[in-house]
Amino acid sequence: MPRPIQALIHTEALTHNLARARAAAPDARVWVAVKANAYGHGIERVFQALRGADGFALLDLDEAQRLRALDWRGPILLLEGCFEPRDLELCSRLGLWHAVHREAQIDWLAAHKTHQPHRVFLKLNSGMNRLGFRPQAFRSAWTRLNALPQVDEISFMTHFSDADGARGVEHQVRRFIEATADLQGERSLSNSAATLRLAGDARVRADWLRVGIMVYGSSPDFPTHDIAHWDLRPTMTLRSQLIATQQLQPGDTVGYGSTFTAEAPMRIGIVACGYADGYPRHAGTGTPVLVEGVRTRTIGRVSMDMLAVDLTPVPAAQPGAEVTLWGQGPRGTVLAIDEVAHAAGTLGYELMCALAARVPVLTV
Ligand SMILES: *Cc1c(COP(=O)(O)O)cnc(C)c1O
């Protein structure tokens, strides 16, 4: 028998979550971000469930090729644009739309030989200070692009730094509107957080949403709001089994570094899951976990291949008992990936992307 750990990808949940993005902004088109191999889910595994999207957004040209190999004929957007001039050849061949965020990318386009002019998304740095032209440089970038025979339609995009938090997006929206005023073209601003929290604002939802994390069943503004609040469903489950149990006496410790000491007699279970499977090593004692669908907590340090759980709430659990590390448990139970991430000081994004290659994945 193989080691009992397994990941599940839930196709119905993916479709449901995509519908939630549509419902939040019914008149906008939807890019689904499938970068990082669909946030760790696997592009090939999510494709059928998400093919109702209007387009797919990603960074990696290999991933764009994989989408075309699945026979996706619709729009694909390269969120970081081209990395070197010859990437434009692949854009021409595969019909990829690409972001233009710096001058060199315009130079490469000007030198590119193509029969089909390219659709580009000119990116404004409205305050994130990662990619994009600053407002003062935006007009001249547009003027250059607009004069190129290699360029077809020019659309506009920017990315929010604080759509999930207190600072909000107003300062960035204002810069975007000012920089793009009286320019013709489609616009795209919103990530998942802006879509869920702010898409009532027509300036924010614009023509194209760009949603990632919400489609993968993680709340973009956890712990302020959880997936139940946003009516999102877990799309990735990490599950395993107990492979041993231990009866502890007061004073007994658990695991490397003896970071947990039993104060009273207690039973613990050992789970076949560790950081080499993608479970976060920084999740300390108390991280939520389900055993047979019953919520309990981890105990002590996570090791490479194992972790320990408190069996107090599930006294009958024996080796072989089902353990849900995150996602959908038995009998309709749910443990949001956000709760585990929060306990480990990280985000659902990181955990799903870090699912280890050694974990067998089943699409259900
Ligand atoms: C990843 C990404 C998104 C999607 O962000 P989520 O927070 O996952 O919704 C949108 N836009 C850009 C530019 C991105 O890189």
Side-chain angles (χ1 to χ4, degrees):
M1 180 182 160
R3 192 162 162 265
I5 192 165
Q6 196 174 46
L8 306 178
I9 304 300
H10 304 280
T11 53
E12 272 176 37
L14 288 159
T15 304
H16 168 87
N17 296 341
L18 173 56
R20 290 285 303 118
R22 286 220 183 274
D27 56 351
R29 272 165 289 161
V30 181
W31 293 111
V32 174
V34 293
K35 60 195 185 190
N37 200 22
Y39 290 45
H41 289 60
I43 287 177
E44 288 77 8
R45 292 189 198 102
V46 303
F47 177 67
Q48 279 305 327
L50 298 179
R51 67 178 311 156
D54 297 297
F56 292 103
L58 42 70
L59 324 169
D60 205 297
L61 287 102
D62 281 344
E63 292 186 339
Q65 271 178 302
R66 282 163 56 194
L67 264 177
R68 287 295 185 230
L70 290 164
D71 218 20
W72 172 253
R73 311 271 176 89
I76 297 177
L77 175 62
L78 297 178
L79 290 164
E80 295 180 350
C82 294
F83 301 100
E84 57 175 339
R86 67 181 177 142
D87 293 345
L88 286 167
E89 288 158 30
L90 202 66
C91 290
S92 289
R93 185 143 51 82
L94 301 180
L96 309 181
W97 303 0
H98 45 104
V100 171
H101 63 81
R102 65 186 176 104
E103 290 289 344
Q105 292 174 326
I106 306 179
D107 301 338
W108 302 339
L109 266 167
H112 178 53
K113 294 184 179 39
T114 180
H115 300 294
Q116 288 273 310
H118 289 200
R119 170 92 178 250
V120 298
F121 276 64
L122 183 58
K123 185 155 190 178
L124 176 74
N125 173 9
S126 60
M128 175 76 145
N129 286 312
R130 218 169 47 173
L131 299 183
F133 293 90
R134 294 191 153 261
Q136 314 84 281
F138 196 74
R139 261 312 132 141
S140 69
W142 178 84
T143 306
R144 277 193 75 199
L145 274 178
N146 194 46
L148 293 181
Q150 291 91 341
V151 172
D152 175 24
E153 229 178 295
I154 306 175
S155 306
F156 306 104
M157 67 186 288
T158 197
H159 193 53
F160 294 137
S161 59
D162 290 76
D164 59 334
R167 189 176 181 203
V169 303
E170 192 56 37
H171 63 296
Q172 291 187 266
V173 171
R174 269 192 275 106
R175 283 177 198 153
F176 183 76
I177 288 175
E178 208 174 284
T180 60
D182 65 76
L183 295 179
Q184 292 294 312
E186 294 182 343
R187 287 151 164 76
S188 177
L189 298 84
S190 291
N191 56 3
S192 295
T195 296
L196 289 171
R197 291 162 65 98
L198 308 162
D201 182 338
R203 302 170 310 158
V204 173
R205 67 176 179 271
D207 299 299
W208 289 89
L209 310 172
R210 302 188 310 270
V211 292
I213 198 69
M214 67 174 290
V215 171
Y216 303 104
S218 165
S219 171
D221 62 353
F222 189 85
T224 308
H225 298 111
D226 62 12
I227 53 169
H229 174 88
W230 295 123
D231 184 24
L232 301 172
R233 298 182 191 155
T235 59
M236 178 193 283
T237 292
L238 181 61
R239 73 178 183 191
S240 187
Q241 292 179 4
L242 297 186
I243 55 169
T245 61
Q246 301 292 339
Q247 179 66 45
L248 303 185
Q249 299 307 320
D252 283 351
T253 63
V254 177
Y256 288 122
S258 303
T259 61
F260 178 85
T261 306
E263 282 168 7
M266 69 184 289
R267 221 169 138 252
I268 66 167
I270 306 303
V271 185
C273 176
Y275 61 78
D277 300 299
Y279 193 89
R281 203 188 75 91
H282 290 102
T285 293
T287 302
V289 58
L290 309 181
V291 177
E292 303 282 29
V294 176
R295 198 179 163 98
T296 180
R297 59 175 181 149
T298 66
I299 295 281
R301 277 196 196 149
V302 175
S303 5
M304 182 185 286
D305 311 303
M306 284 176 268
L307 57 83
V309 295
D310 185 353
L311 294 181
T312 308
V314 259
Q318 298 298 333
E322 180 171 343
V323 178
T324 308
L325 286 315
W326 61 68
Q328 302 189 16
R331 303 181 310 279
T333 52
V334 166
L335 176 58
I337 195 169
D338 301 320
E339 286 195 64
V340 180
H342 193 68
T346 182
L347 302 173
Y349 294 79
E350 188 178 357
L351 296 193
M352 48 182 83
C353 290
L355 182 72
R358 80 172 185 183
V359 177
V361 183
L362 203 69
T363 307
V364 294

